[in-house]
Amino acid sequence: MAIRLGDKAPDFTQDSTEGTIKFHDWIGDSWAVLFSHPADFTPVCTTELGQVAHLKPEFDKRNVKVIALSVDPVESHKRWASDIEETQGAALNFPLLADGDRKVSELYDMIHPNAEATATVRSVFIIDPKKTVRLMLTYPAPTGRDFGEILRVIDSLQLTEYEKVATPANWKDGDDVVILPSISNEEADKLFPKGYKELKPYLRMTPQPNK
Ligand code: BEZ
């Protein structure tokens, strides 16, 4: 069955470049990003894995673990890892699942046969510490992802988890946010001591509360 936002992320046990991963145990109390690649030794994937390796401190800062997947064996992943380090200037510093039996790819519906018969598409799942799926993205094989956007979404998910706000178009950490329409002005006066601008009764802007 297709995975939807709000569903429990399916658990699995699979080999990786860092040994056997039991997914839910591996996530622990962190957030997680699970992202798939069409195959090892492919150009776009090489740049993506290098980019995530460079951004690892940014994921760490947000208590987010990253894990990639490709439908090739561990030995192949390890040989590819040297190319990633050589060409992208960053060593693989997170696990790469070896999904040769397509257990995880099928569980997460990462193979879209009308796009590509056997390879995984570029899927992204953001999963919270309760193991709930909070975001899904699907990109086609020739289009590399923007991992700055993934970090931006994580900032929004983590902010809106704890504050009664939502983040507007193109928002980035530190920008003004919108007050949830379910909050009355009386509540808003108490919750947002920095004040707010009411552009419409349903559109009230306030400085980011946790800054
Ligand atoms: C890749 O690098 O993964 C890729 C590039 C072009 C087409 C398909 C895949």
Side-chain angles (χ1 to χ4, degrees), residues 38 42-45 122 141-142:
T42 48
V44 175
C45 305
R122 294 183 198 283

Side-chain angles (χ1 to χ4, degrees), residues 193-207:
K194 293 175 196 160
Y196 58 89
K197 225 182 272 167
E198 184 173 304
L199 304 172
K200 290 283 174 193
Y202 59 84
L203 178 55
R204 294 163 298 175
M205 307 296 300
T206 189

Side-chain angles (χ1 to χ4, degrees), residues 2-7 108 123-126 133-138:
I3 298 172
R4 293 179 172 167
L5 298 190
D7 288 356
Y108 277 80
S123 300
V124 182
F125 294 86
I126 299 179
V133 176
R134 302 294 299 272
L135 172 128
M136 299 187 300
L137 286 173
T138 308

Side-chain angles (χ1 to χ4, degrees), residues 102 105-106 108-123 138:
R102 304 203 178 133
S105 316
E106 283 170 11
Y108 277 80
D109 200 21
M110 291 165 167
I111 298 172
H112 297 196
N114 292 331
E116 177 72 49
T118 53
T120 41
V121 291
R122 294 183 198 283
S123 300
T138 308

